[in-house]
Amino acid sequence: MAPSHAVRCCQRGLSWIPVIFINLVVCWSYYAYVVELCICKCLVIYLIVFHVFFFMFIWSYWKTIISKPASPSKEFCLPKADKELYEKEEFPEAQQEILKRVARNLPVYTRTGSGAIRYCDRCQLIKPDRCHHCSTCDRCVLKMDHHCPWVNNCVGFSNYKFFVLFLAYSMLYCVYIAATVLQYFIKFWTNHLPDTHAKFHVLFLFFVAGMFFISILSLFSYHLWLVGKNRTTIEAFRAPVFRNGPDKNGFTLGFRKNVTQVFGDQKKCWCLPLYSSLGDGYTFPTRLVNADSEQGNVEHQVIKCTVDGQTNPRPLSESQNHLLGNNMHSEEQKDSSLANIEVCQPVSITMENES
């Protein structure tokens, strides 16, 4: 036990190296831009705009880091009696019958590729829709997108909005530095910049800001596409499987509703790293309205989810009705037949069976 514990401690320590590296680069960029460039040349306007981008970048970055990944609640764990039966059974078919019996009382609609109930042997629980096990964090994460080493955290339901804002503000931070330093970078190459140690800071500032901007731009564009499609990175590579088969667009509700599900229905909070996502992380409305004949009545079941220090920050019934209602006119005008179904059955609409 001692060696394995020591290895885990070393792994936890090493996992912070990318975060330390990013913070060292940011601290150096702050010194080079503020002290070596702006203060020396009395660029007050540059300083004011720079600090706005810097503050929003740091705020969203650390919100992504410190937000604890949301995990399934105890309701998704097998009852003691069923757990003992499950562990005693040697045949997968018999184990699946136990899982199916328990899952009938849970809001679970996706399945594995073979049509089985998604069960995590490591965490010993039935996985909610869009939930996956992270081997790095050693836990199941609600609506898991990926594990990001640059924030040393899992990106999922509890912090996905923060992660997208972190990409946006880091990109703006880099492009602003590169744009304002460009004129001094040109002077450096034309030998019109005074021969001081500050010119080397200007040279590296431009190159580092440009390099990070290019790399972040591609990642940010990809996640904007994911938000518009209402997919996670995992679902983009492996479509979620419902009872009638895989469907990569199973959770797509239309562009505006997809964006609202991640950023919330209050537009004034979209640009702030404050939690405003809709839903509870366990169940998600879909574009399909077929009821699951094998699923029990879970409409009134209460499942608690703690995100950012709040329990059930947005109940499913409220967010689902809002997303599936008729208050977003552009989507309904594009697809009136779908809107009519959604208006008629705002609460009874359920998700397709999962993989």
Side-chain angles (χ1 to χ4, degrees):
M1 290 297 293
S4 61
H5 178 71
V7 170
R8 286 197 298 270
C9 291
C10 291
Q11 289 176 339
R12 292 192 188 99
L14 293 174
S15 64
W16 284 101
I17 291 179
V19 177
I20 295 173
F21 171 75
I22 291 296
N23 281 274
L24 289 176
V25 172
V26 171
C27 289
W28 166 77
S29 67
Y30 184 89
Y31 167 79
Y33 191 88
V34 174
V35 178
E36 296 292 346
L37 181 62
C38 292
I39 293 181
C40 292
K41 297 186 177 296
C42 300
L43 304 175
V44 179
I45 302 299
Y46 281 14
L47 277 175
I48 295 174
V49 179
F50 170 83
H51 279 90
V52 172
F53 288 133
F54 178 79
F55 175 76
M56 296 304 296
F57 162 57
I58 294 297
W59 186 12
S60 57
Y61 180 55
W62 279 98
K63 281 289 286 185
T64 308
I65 293 176
I66 65 177
S67 296
K68 185 178 179 181
S71 298
S73 61
K74 62 181 181 179
E75 283 82 0
F76 288 85
C77 296
L78 293 180
K80 185 177 180 180
D82 292 315
K83 182 179 178 182
E84 292 177 352
L85 289 174
Y86 180 86
E87 293 174 347
K88 291 179 181 179
E89 287 291 347
E90 298 180 358
F91 300 101
E93 295 80 4
Q95 290 179 330
Q96 273 299 306
E97 289 301 321
I98 297 174
L99 295 179
K100 286 181 179 180
R101 185 174 66 253
V102 177
R104 285 182 61 85
N105 298 319
L106 294 173
V108 175
Y109 299 93
T110 54
R111 303 288 188 266
T112 65
S114 61
I117 299 295
R118 299 170 64 240
Y119 182 76
C120 179
D121 291 308
R122 183 75 176 178
C123 298
Q124 297 185 334
L125 53 81
I126 295 175
K127 295 179 183 178
D129 294 347
R130 315 183 84 175
C131 175
H132 298 274
H133 184 87
C134 176
S135 58
T136 304
C137 296
D138 194 25
R139 66 168 68 188
C140 284
V141 179
L142 297 180
K143 197 187 176 185
M144 180 179 173
D145 188 89
H146 69 287
H147 184 91
C148 180
W150 300 108
V151 299
N152 191 27
N153 199 2
C154 256
V155 178
F157 176 75
S158 62
N159 61 353
Y160 186 64
K161 176 191 174 183
F162 307 149
F163 178 75
V164 175
L165 290 178
F166 154 61
L167 294 179
Y169 287 120
S170 59
M171 188 179 64
L172 292 174
Y173 179 74
C174 291
V175 73
Y176 177 77
I177 290 178
T180 53
V181 171
L182 177 61
Q183 57 178 317
Y184 301 101
F185 178 76
I186 295 175
K187 289 181 180 180
F188 172 83
W189 285 107
T190 56
N191 294 321
H192 289 95
L193 200 65
D195 191 13
T196 63
H197 69 281
K199 69 178 185 180
F200 296 104
H201 286 288
V202 171
L203 174 65
F204 286 110
L205 254 182
F206 181 80
F207 275 120
V208 172
M211 178 185 66
F212 274 94
F213 168 73
I214 294 173
S215 60
I216 294 173
L217 176 61
S218 58
L219 186 61
F220 178 65
S221 301
Y222 177 66
H223 279 279
L224 282 184
W225 178 79
L226 290 177
V227 171
K229 294 292 186 178
N230 203 341
R231 298 177 195 168
T232 64
T233 300
I234 296 176
E235 293 167 353
F237 287 94
R238 185 176 63 218
V241 183
F242 299 86
R243 274 174 45 85
N244 58 347
D247 185 359
K248 63 180 181 180
N249 294 318
F251 295 107
T252 298
L253 302 172
F255 178 77
R256 182 172 296 185
K257 294 179 182 179
N258 293 341
V259 173
T260 302
Q261 193 175 90
V262 174
F263 290 93
D265 49 9
Q266 297 181 354
K267 292 185 178 181
K268 62 182 179 181
C269 296
W270 281 13
C271 296
L272 299 176
L274 301 173
Y275 183 83
S276 59
S277 301
L278 301 182
D280 55 9
Y282 295 100
T283 49
F284 301 89
T286 71
R287 63 188 180 89
L288 303 175
V289 295
N290 294 331
D292 190 343
S293 59
E294 291 188 3
Q295 201 69 18
N297 182 17
V298 295
E299 184 177 282
H300 303 292
Q301 184 168 353
V302 177
I303 299 176
K304 296 181 180 180
C305 174
T306 301
V307 176
D308 223 20
Q310 302 177 5
T311 300
N312 272 347
R314 187 63 62 91
L316 171 66
S317 57
E318 177 184 343
S319 61
Q320 186 175 15
N321 291 342
H322 178 74
L323 286 170
L324 297 178
N326 61 346
N327 56 344
M328 293 185 179
H329 302 291
S330 60
E331 269 78 11
E332 280 97 10
Q333 290 173 353
K334 294 178 183 178
D335 194 348
S336 59
S337 61
L338 176 61
N340 291 334
I341 297 176
E342 292 173 345
V343 172
C344 293
Q345 297 179 346
V347 176
S348 61
I349 289 178
T350 58
M351 274 79 56
E352 275 297 305
N353 305 325
E354 111 168 345
S355 58

